Amino acid sequence: MWELEKAHSCLTVRQAVAQALAGKEKLQARADTLDQQARQSLEQNPDYARQVEQLDLAQAAHREHVSGYEDLRQECALKRPTFDTNLVYVYLRGHAFGTDQYRRNRLNRWMDNWLATKVNYLANRKNELSLIALGERNEALQAERIALISTLSASVDAQLAQARDQHGQASIQPELDTLQRVVDNAKRQANAIQEKLGSYSRNEDPQYQRL
């Protein structure tokens, strides 16, 4: 008797799921139609079409450069630490040797000049600064590409959202969300009942064990 009641309950819940899904699919079809109408109306807007084209170009540029950006970033990350391995070089760099900020007495200057020739300081420092500048430029260009995509995407999405709202699609979304919650809840109930029936058939159900 108990098993028949659970089976009936499971059937009822499944029917509720099917009904909710049918309602959701019908409403989703209506939402898709309104979305298509909104997009078609925007196609007549030159400003929107221009921004979509710019977004496509920006995304294409990002895809084109992302590999080179990553390679250069890795190269800088590998080479930068090599300039910190020579203690003499690090010492001279710490005193800003070869720059307007270099302040040392005559004896120290003579010694620093001698040390600088031993480690080829000026040439290595130039290479380090070039590597730093290259890395910073690489990061700046990547940031510019990402910022442009973000700006254009926000503008395009905002215009599409406004067009959808004007065509009434926005008012449908809350009902779609509600129907989805109904479907999810009904599925959970059906699964719970199905699991209960499985336990009963395996003689694992507490009610069965009390018989």
Side-chain angles (χ1 to χ4, degrees):
M1 183 64 179
W2 178 88
E3 186 175 7
L4 290 175
E5 291 177 356
K6 285 296 183 181
H8 179 72
S9 297
C10 186
L11 178 61
T12 301
V13 171
R14 285 179 176 176
Q15 290 173 342
V17 170
Q19 185 177 0
L21 280 173
K24 181 176 179 292
E25 289 173 358
K26 182 178 180 179
L27 195 61
Q28 185 63 59
R30 172 62 177 160
D32 292 342
T33 298
L34 294 176
D35 179 72
Q36 185 178 7
Q37 292 175 357
R39 292 178 184 275
Q40 288 174 347
S41 68
L42 282 175
E43 290 176 359
Q44 310 304 318
N45 184 335
D47 183 59
Y48 177 81
R50 177 179 56 81
Q51 289 189 17
V52 169
E53 182 181 6
Q54 289 177 340
L55 178 58
D56 289 341
L57 291 174
Q59 290 173 333
H62 179 267
R63 290 191 296 270
E64 179 183 352
H65 290 93
V66 68
S67 178
Y69 160 75
E70 292 292 348
D71 290 343
L72 185 55
R73 192 181 198 197
Q74 184 177 7
E75 180 182 352
C76 291
L78 290 174
K79 290 183 177 180
R80 283 286 299 274
T82 63
F83 291 95
D84 297 327
T85 58
N86 189 295
L87 296 180
V88 173
Y89 179 86
V90 173
Y91 159 80
L92 293 170
R93 187 180 63 190
H95 286 287
F97 182 84
T99 71
D100 294 337
Q101 289 74 41
Y102 179 68
R103 297 288 185 271
R104 303 281 277 170
N105 60 40
R106 183 177 298 179
L107 179 61
N108 285 330
R109 283 176 178 271
W110 178 86
M111 173 133 346
D112 290 348
N113 282 327
W114 180 78
L115 290 172
T117 60
K118 295 299 181 182
V119 297
N120 196 20
Y121 176 81
L122 292 179
N124 284 322
R125 182 57 175 160
K126 181 179 180 181
N127 290 337
E128 182 185 15
L129 291 174
S130 296
L131 185 64
I132 292 172
L134 187 63
E136 291 176 346
R137 178 61 175 165
N138 188 44
E139 295 296 336
L141 289 174
Q142 178 71 354
E144 288 177 7
R145 289 189 289 267
I146 293 176
L148 178 60
I149 290 174
S150 178
T151 299
L152 290 171
S153 294
S155 178
V156 167
D157 290 345
Q159 292 182 69
L160 181 56
Q162 184 179 17
R164 285 169 172 168
D165 187 51
Q166 290 173 349
H167 284 77
Q169 192 203 32
S171 62
I172 294 178
Q173 192 58 48
E175 189 173 352
L176 276 172
D177 294 339
T178 299
L179 283 173
Q180 185 61 55
R181 286 193 294 270
V182 171
V183 170
D184 292 341
N185 289 334
K187 284 182 177 180
R188 281 194 292 270
Q189 292 178 25
N191 290 335
I193 294 173
Q194 191 66 41
E195 178 63 27
K196 196 74 172 176
L197 286 171
S199 298
Y200 187 89
S201 64
R202 296 190 300 269
N203 300 340
E204 296 173 0
D205 185 73
Q207 294 188 35
Y208 180 91
Q209 293 174 355
R210 287 199 298 269
L211 295 177

